[in-house]
Amino acid sequence: MLRTLKTIFIAFTVVLFAQSCESRLDLQPEDDRLTADAVFEEPGAYKAFLAKIYAGLSVSGQEGPAGNADLSGLDEGFSNYLRLYWSMQELTTDEAVIGWNDGTIKDLHAQTWTSGNEFIRTMYSRIFYQVALTNEFLRQTSDAKLDDRGVETSLRTEIQNYRAEARFMRALTYWHAMDLFGNVPFVTEEDPIGAFLPEQIKRADLFTYVEKESLDIEDDIIAARQNEYGRADQAAVWMLLSKIYLNAEVYTGTARYADVITYTTKIIDAGYAIAPNPYFHLFLADNDSNGTQSEVILPITFDGLHTQSFGGMTFIIHAAVGGSMKPADYGINGGWAGTRTTSTLVEQFPGEANSPDGRALFFTKDQTKEINNISTFNEGYAVEKFRNVNANGEPGSDPTGDIVDTDFPMFRLSDTYLMYAEAVVRGGGGSMANAVTYINQLRHRAYGNATGNISQANLTLDFILSERSRELFWEAHRRTDLIRFGQFSDQGTWPWKKNVPQGATTEAFRDLMPLPATDLGINTNLQQNQGY
């Protein structure tokens, strides 16, 4: 399967990036050639190509952990999709800082980035690499192509399922584009193969596209909880719809909270469950099998032997370990001493580091709560939410301790409960009693008893924003949440925002990332986001 996957990648590399207008001088695909029809003589090639689409979120090239990269122009570990997306969603907020001096990475937390920021540029390139990949998969699995190849009926049925998943993955990627960049280049499988300059789509129109694609595949994709672990199903589609509807007022100017109630209810009724495990089990090396997988709707999967990358969860776990922390306690061979959190997150928990809330997963020995020098790892509490050990404390499968097994819970039921509760409070309908019940399920797990439970009077928007941080910190939601609540740029403050110790507000235009200057220099159809 892996050999087939690499062959497919080589065959379509040139086609994929012909659709992207990223500068050839900066980020280019590796180039080799093979005809598509030769690749698809092997029936397993279709599933292998789909696997490449999923792997686009977790790995950075064809020879893990590094070598034969998908993109060139930035260190391969930095260029990983999840690592970049996590950085956009967490380093820009009150939940995470990083002490390294790599390029312009500190500008993310300071909110002083420009259109030349290489991390923002590579996130943009990753997004459109994924779009190009899915577009080509859909071209190669059209009815006409399958007829030409004489594909038999049973395989064609499987391929239709794969097509629904590929369309979901493209819709997910375009949601990230819409959320981060707003008005972006737009390409589908209907566009011509070869070099051309894509037209720019308005954010509200891209919202309509993502919504339509998701609704179109809702009944075609495999039913909720019936697909292989790590692959999208109907509940993943419902989750994506819930996400875009929750943020619809930001994206389009029109609130859609009633639709949030509709689609989160579908997920809640689909049989997912909060496991009796402690909260921290959700973030261990065996989180695909220790019981907590009952909550997970769609993970990004990792394996220390077979999904090797210096991005993704390997980055998230290694970068968070330093100072007096013992790497072996986290199932790794050494820490990278980079990421910590700010006092703003710590203070969300009653009792802070000694909170009765079991979600306060901070390492405090020899760490100060406040940060005077952002480059010093011992300043700012360390976060020990994710580990590469199983529920018994045993390390992951990679004997070197380099690469981790821990999966990233991109969509999980706790988030669904919190979205339902927020939509109720915002007037979308639903049941306030149910909302309180859902929140108390999460808090009962966190406290181990009912002492942290809330009443309806406690369920306010301020509470929900804080509770989302307590439950979901470091899971790549915070930037989007703060923007929806109007606290990301020109209102909210936290330590080292605007590059000052106490923090300061920034310009409202930073609610959107800039389109990369390199792309604007090539594609004359693009107009930069306001303020950049």
Side-chain angles (χ1 to χ4, degrees):
M1 179 69 76
L2 292 175
R3 184 167 54 251
T4 302
L5 181 56
K6 184 174 180 181
T7 302
I8 287 169
F9 171 74
I10 290 170
F12 295 114
T13 294
V14 180
V15 173
L16 300 179
F17 257 70
Q19 300 174 69
S20 174
C21 46
E22 185 65 39
S23 171
R24 294 277 177 177
L25 297 177
D26 290 309
L27 288 162
Q28 299 178 359
E30 305 302 321
D31 187 5
D32 225 332
R33 309 249 177 176
L34 189 66
T35 64
D37 288 336
V39 170
F40 288 110
E41 288 176 0
E42 181 181 343
Y46 295 98
K47 188 173 184 180
F49 198 163
L50 181 68
K52 171 60 186 175
I53 294 172
Y54 282 105
L57 302 182
S58 56
V59 300
S60 51
Q62 302 309 299
E63 296 178 8
N68 200 1
D70 293 336
L71 306 174
S72 62
L74 188 67
D75 173 83
E76 185 176 342
F78 276 112
S79 74
N80 167 269
Y81 195 113
L82 176 57
R83 180 167 174 170
L84 289 163
Y85 187 67
W86 187 92
S87 297
M88 299 300 113
Q89 289 283 22
E90 295 292 346
L91 292 181
T92 59
T93 76
D94 53 2
E95 290 188 349
V97 299
I98 194 163
W100 301 339
N101 291 309
D102 297 87
T104 59
I105 198 165
K106 285 183 178 175
D107 293 352
L108 297 178
H109 187 80
Q111 293 196 9
T112 57
W113 56 73
T114 70
S115 61
N117 185 287
E118 67 269 37
F119 300 99
I120 295 172
R121 182 186 74 230
T122 312
M123 178 78 261
Y124 178 92
S125 296
R126 265 288 163 198
I127 284 171
F128 288 101
Y129 177 86
Q130 281 291 106
V131 168
L133 199 64
T134 53
N135 285 345
E136 189 58 25
F137 178 85
L138 293 170
R139 287 192 191 97
Q140 294 298 328
T141 56
S142 67
D143 287 340
K145 287 284 188 183
L146 300 182
D147 288 344
D148 289 345
R149 296 182 189 130
V151 175
E152 61 182 25
T153 302
S154 60
L155 179 56
R156 289 178 83 117
T157 300
E158 288 184 42
I159 290 170
Q160 294 313 306
N161 291 332
Y162 301 161
R163 284 177 60 84
E165 291 178 59
R167 289 175 69 186
F168 165 80
M169 292 295 286
R170 181 175 60 185
L172 175 75
T173 306
Y174 267 133
W175 168 50
H176 291 163
M178 173 173 65
D179 185 75
L180 291 167
F181 297 102
N183 310 320
V184 296
F186 181 68
V187 211
T188 73
E189 74 275 20
E190 301 301 325
D191 287 299
I193 295 174
F196 74 102
L197 300 178
E199 296 292 332
Q200 188 171 27
I201 189 171
K202 294 292 187 183
R203 196 183 207 185
D205 294 332
L206 187 54
F207 175 96
T208 300
Y209 173 81
V210 172
E211 178 187 28
K212 183 179 184 302
E213 277 288 282
S214 301
L215 293 172
D216 282 352
I217 62 173
E218 180 184 359
D219 295 328
D220 294 335
I221 202 166
I222 292 174
R225 301 175 61 241
Q226 300 305 307
N227 209 345
E228 295 177 89
Y229 176 82
R231 288 173 57 188
D233 60 18
Q234 201 170 38
V237 175
W238 295 334
M239 195 70 170
L240 178 56
L241 285 165
S242 299
K243 285 288 185 185
I244 67 168
Y245 291 142
L246 186 67
N247 295 285
E249 196 163 8
V250 173
Y251 301 150
T252 71
T254 301
R256 299 283 295 273
Y257 298 115
D259 291 312
V260 178
I261 298 294
T262 298
Y263 283 94
T264 53
T265 300
K266 286 175 181 279
I267 298 166
I268 292 166
D269 292 344
Y272 295 92
I274 303 296
N277 303 51
Y279 173 79
F280 76 92
H281 282 193
L282 276 161
F283 313 104
L284 298 180
D286 59 349
N287 60 355
D288 61 338
S289 59
N290 66 19
T292 59
Q293 72 274 16
S294 65
E295 176 180 342
V296 176
I297 296 162
L298 185 64
I300 301 176
T301 61
F302 291 88
D303 184 286
L305 298 178
H306 304 295
T307 314
Q308 296 198 334
S309 169
F310 289 122
M313 289 304 301
T314 294
F315 157 73
I316 290 173
I317 293 176
H318 277 270
V321 174
S324 299
M325 303 170 81
K326 296 178 181 178
D329 291 345
Y330 305 92
I332 56 176
N333 57 11
W336 297 350
T339 51
R340 296 96 68 206
T341 194
T342 74
S343 56
T344 302
L345 174 60
V346 175
E347 290 166 2
Q348 299 279 14
F349 292 91
E352 299 184 2
N354 299 311
S355 177
D357 188 329
R359 299 171 296 188
L361 298 173
F362 304 119
F363 183 93
T364 61
K365 182 182 178 183
D366 300 324
Q367 302 288 133
T368 62
K369 187 176 80 170
E370 300 298 341
I371 301 171
N372 292 311
N373 183 345
I374 207 166
S375 295
T376 303
F377 184 83
N378 295 93
E379 297 189 17
Y381 285 172
V383 172
E384 50 183 9
K385 183 170 186 173
F386 296 98
R387 298 176 183 238
N388 184 40
V389 296
N390 64 22
N392 296 319
E394 300 162 340
S397 61
D398 179 11
T400 71
D402 268 339
I403 312 299
V404 307
D405 288 343
T406 312
D407 296 339
F408 184 80
M410 181 164 59
F411 290 159
R412 62 184 180 96
L413 182 62
S414 295
D415 189 11
T416 311
Y417 283 168
L418 287 159
M419 289 194 292
Y420 178 94
E422 182 179 338
V424 169
V425 174
R426 290 187 184 274
S431 163
M432 183 67 77
N434 285 347
V436 171
T437 297
Y438 298 149
I439 297 299
N440 283 338
Q441 282 191 49
L442 306 183
R443 293 179 67 82
H444 192 282
R445 173 173 63 184
Y447 283 79
N449 53 48
T451 58
N453 284 14
I454 65 165
S455 67
Q456 289 189 21
N458 303 124
L459 195 59
T460 65
L461 287 178
D462 285 344
F463 171 86
I464 287 169
L465 180 60
S466 294
E467 188 69 6
R468 286 189 64 81
S469 190
R470 287 185 285 265
E471 178 69 26
L472 301 170
F473 70 93
W474 278 36
E475 294 180 51
H477 301 286
R478 187 62 170 171
R479 173 189 162 276
T480 301
D481 288 347
L482 288 173
I483 290 171
R484 186 172 67 256
F485 280 82
Q487 296 184 29
F488 181 69
S489 56
D490 60 340
Q491 295 184 50
T493 60
W494 50 81
W496 290 98
K497 184 179 177 184
K498 210 169 185 178
N499 207 30
V500 293
Q502 72 277 16
T505 58
T506 57
E507 308 91 347
F509 68 75
R510 295 193 182 277
D511 285 357
L512 281 176
M513 296 293 186
L515 302 184
T518 50
D519 216 17
L520 289 168
I522 294 171
N523 189 349
T524 54
N525 295 324
L526 301 183
Q527 183 176 345
Q528 181 61 280
N529 290 326
Q530 183 180 358
Y532 295 106

